[in-house]
Structures are given as structure tokens and as C-alpha cells.
Amino acid sequence: MGASRSDIWAGIGLLAFCGFVAWRTLLVRTVASGTIAGPVFVPWLMIGGLSLLAIALILRSILRGSSAVELPTRRTLVRMGLLALLLVAYAAAFEPLGYLVSTLVTFVLGLLLFNERRPLVLILVPLALTGGVYLGFTRLLQVWLP
């Protein structure tokens, strides 16, 4: 049951993060661009996707019987803090390392942070999702990624 409470707090933390990013995205000036997607497309796409996944995480935990939301344990707070630091490091590494390298490394570290140890999941899921997003943006939306 402890993992379920941890999922609730992780979901709440992600929703709070999405709220902050949405507020900051509203401050971005939109200008005409040479692509299908404007400068706020990616942030809003990520905000929407993360929000949906955070809500799903919370609902899944509640449906599994962890409706009592208690204060997060020290371990949960540490994991949330590490995830926040990982996302800040990802943002800092995005330009110098490029999308592919920074995203793959962040993806694998995030999976490890949440105790994923299956080799196929650690290799195939990051490769498939990162490659799919890369092709979607570069080929379909014609958005340059570093």
C-alpha cells in the first residue's frame, strides 16, 4: 500500500509542476514560425500529456485501494526531489547534448529512479518513445530538434 500512496504524491507533484509550467508558458510570446507548430506547441503538448498521465497515476492508485492520502514518506519526497533535479538537468543538457542523447539518458535514469530493472524495458521503451517523438517532430511537424 505504501507504493500506492507514493503514486498519489508523485501524481500530485506532477500536476503542480504542470500548473507551474502552464503559467510560465502563458508568458511566452507567440510569433510566426516557419513550421506547423509554434513556440508554445511543445510545452502545451507536454503539459497536457503529463497532466493526463499524472491523473491516471492518481486514479490507478485510488482504484487499487489507497484512497487515504497521507503525508508522503521521506523516501517519496527524496524520489520526487531527485526527479525534479533530473528534469532540471535534462533541460540544461538538451541544447549541448541534443534531443536524442539527453532524452535517452534522462528516460533511463527516470526508469531506474522508479525501480525499473527489466533490461528490455530499460532499453526498448526509451528507444521507441524517443525515436517516435523525434520522427514525429522532425518529419511530421517539421520542427528542428537540437
Side-chain angles (χ1 to χ4, degrees):
M1 191 164 291
S4 295
R5 276 188 241 118
S6 175
D7 287 349
I8 289 173
W9 281 105
I12 290 170
L14 282 170
L15 285 175
F17 174 74
C18 288
F20 173 77
V21 174
W23 168 62
R24 297 303 300 169
T25 301
L26 289 172
L27 302 175
V28 174
R29 280 192 261 152
T30 57
V31 294
S33 65
T35 67
I36 296 170
V40 296
F41 175 76
V42 174
W44 283 117
L45 183 67
M46 298 307 291
I47 291 165
L50 276 176
S51 295
L52 289 174
L53 291 173
I55 291 167
L57 186 65
I58 293 168
L59 290 176
R60 182 187 74 168
S61 183
I62 290 171
L63 293 174
R64 287 187 175 173
S66 180
S67 59
V69 179
E70 299 173 7
L71 289 176
T73 64
R74 183 175 187 196
R75 182 173 185 233
T76 301
L77 289 173
V78 167
R79 288 168 87 188
M80 289 172 69
L82 289 173
L83 180 60
L85 288 174
L86 180 62
L87 293 175
V88 169
Y90 173 62
F94 194 82
E95 277 292 327
L97 296 180
Y99 167 78
L100 291 173
V101 172
S102 62
T103 302
L104 285 171
V105 169
T106 301
F107 208 139
V108 171
L109 290 176
L111 287 171
L112 290 171
L113 179 64
F114 287 95
N115 296 323
E116 180 58 60
R117 299 293 184 260
R118 294 173 291 181
L120 284 177
V121 172
L122 287 170
I123 296 168
L124 294 181
V125 171
L127 283 173
L129 290 175
T130 301
V133 169
Y134 180 80
L135 290 174
F137 277 97
T138 58
R139 302 288 185 232
L140 296 176
L141 297 174
Q142 300 172 343
V143 173
W144 176 81
L145 293 174

